[in-house]
C-alpha cells in the first residue's frame, strides 16, 4: 500500500515497498526541502507547493513525477542531484515560474515542462543527457547547458513564446541537440558567440539541429 511523507510545503507518495528508510525529507541549509534517496527507487510522486528550493538527491530515481505549483508572482526552485533520473518528469502546473537546476547525474528518457511564466532550466557541468525533452511555455524562458554537460542522442528543446535565451557552453554532443519553436527574437549563445533566432532560422552555423 502507498504511503505519504511530507510537510506543509511538500508531499512525497512512496509506492508499496518503499519506506522512510529508503526516502526521507530533511530541511536544506536555506530552509528548503531535500528529498533524500538512500536506495534506488521507482514510482515516487512528489508535489512541491512551497516557495523555497525542493531538492531531490542521492541514488537512482525512475518512473517518478515532481510537480511544482508556484503561485502567480512567485518562483518554485527545483534541484536534481541524483545518480540517475530516468523516465521521470518535472512539471510546473502553477501560475508562477519554475527554476530547474540539474546539478549532476545522468538524465535519461525524462522531461521538464514549464508554464506560461518566465522559467529557467540549467544543466551542470557533470550532467549527462539522453532522450530528454525540455518543453517551455509562453514566457521569456532561459535554458543553460554548462561547460561540461554531455549531450547524448535524443535531447530536444521545444521553445514557446518570444525572447527566450539559450546558453550553450558545451560542445560535447552539440550536434545531437534539437531545438524547435524558435522565434526571430530568441537569443542563442553558443561557445561565446551570440546569434538571434532570425539568424538561426536562416541557417547560421550554431552546431545544433533546428527542428
Amino acid at each position: 500500500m502507498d504511503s505519504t511523507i511530507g510537510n506543509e510545503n511538500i508531499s512525497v507518495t512512496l509506492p508499496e515497498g518503499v519506506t522512510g528508510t529508503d526516502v526521507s525529507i530533511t530541511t536544506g541549509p536555506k530552509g528548503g526541502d531535500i528529498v533524500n534517496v538512500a536506495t534506488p527507487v521507482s514510482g515516487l510522486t512528489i508535489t512541491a507547493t512551497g516557495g523555497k528550493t525542493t531538492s531531490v538527491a542521492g541514488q537512482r530515481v525512475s518512473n517518478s513525477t515532481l510537480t511544482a505549483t508556484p503561485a502567480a508572482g512567485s518562483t518554485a526552485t527545483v534541484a536534481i542531484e541524483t545518480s540517475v533520473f530516468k523516465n521521470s518528469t518535472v512539471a510546473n502546473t502553477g501560475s508562477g515560474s519554475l527554476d530547474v537546476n540539474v546539478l549532476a547525474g545522468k538524465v535519461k528518457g525524462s522531461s521538464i515542462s514549464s508554464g506560461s511564466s518566465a522559467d529557467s532550466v540549467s544543466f551542470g557541468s557533470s550532467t549527462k543527457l539522453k532522450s530528454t525533452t525540455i518543453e517551455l511555455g509562453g514566457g521569456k524562458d532561459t535554458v543553460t547547458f554548462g561547460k561540461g554537460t554531455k549531450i547524448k542522442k535524443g535531447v530536444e528543446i521545444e521553445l514557446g513564446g518570444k525572447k527566450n535565451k539559450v546558453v550553450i557552453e558545451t560542445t560535447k554532443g552539440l550536434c545531437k541537440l534539437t531545438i524547435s519553436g524558435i522565434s526571430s527574437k530568441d537569443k542563442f549563445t553558443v561557445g561565446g558567440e551570440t546569434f538571434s533566432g532570425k539568424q538561426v532560422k536562416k541557417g547560421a552555423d550554431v552546431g545544433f539541429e533546428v527542428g
Side-chain angles (χ1 to χ4, degrees):
M1 183 175 180
D2 293 352
S3 60
T4 301
I5 59 175
N7 54 43
E8 62 182 4
N9 298 317
I10 186 173
S11 68
V12 181
T13 301
L14 308 178
E16 186 174 0
V18 177
T19 69
T21 302
D22 304 308
V23 178
S24 61
I25 299 173
T26 56
T27 301
K30 295 184 179 180
D33 295 297
I34 302 175
V35 180
N36 303 284
V37 182
T39 58
V41 296
S42 177
L44 297 179
T45 301
I46 304 170
T47 302
T49 59
K52 294 185 178 180
T53 300
T54 298
S55 301
V56 182
Q59 299 299 311
R60 173 195 293 257
V61 172
S62 59
N63 302 304
S64 299
T65 61
L66 195 164
T67 304
T69 59
S74 66
T75 299
T77 301
V78 171
I80 305 293
E81 196 170 8
T82 55
S83 60
V84 179
F85 192 74
K86 183 178 181 181
N87 298 335
S88 298
T89 63
V90 178
N92 178 8
T93 62
S95 300
S97 299
L98 176 66
D99 184 356
V100 179
N101 301 301
V102 182
L103 302 173
K106 299 177 181 178
V107 181
K108 303 178 180 179
S110 296
S111 66
I112 299 171
S113 60
S114 66
S116 58
S117 295
D119 304 297
S120 68
V121 180
S122 66
F123 298 97
S125 60
S126 58
T127 303
K128 297 179 181 179
L129 304 173
K130 182 178 180 180
S131 302
T132 293
T133 301
I134 301 101
E135 302 176 11
L136 300 172
K140 298 178 182 179
D141 304 311
T142 302
V143 181
T144 303
F145 293 88
K147 202 165 188 177
T149 305
K150 294 182 179 178
I151 301 171
K152 304 292 185 179
K153 66 178 181 179
V155 179
E156 301 181 9
I157 301 175
E158 298 178 10
L159 297 174
K162 300 177 180 179
K163 296 184 179 180
N164 301 293
K165 294 181 180 179
V166 178
V167 179
I168 304 172
E169 298 176 352
T170 184
T171 58
K172 298 178 180 178
L174 182 56
C175 62
K176 298 174 183 177
L177 171 67
T178 300
I179 302 180
S180 60
I182 297 172
S183 77
S184 296
K185 294 185 178 181
D186 292 335
K187 181 180 178 180
F188 299 83
T189 302
V190 183
E193 188 172 358
T194 300
F195 304 87
S196 67
K198 185 176 182 180
Q199 289 174 309
V200 174
K201 291 169 72 175
K202 286 188 173 182
D205 184 11
V206 287
F208 57 80
E209 294 291 327
V210 177

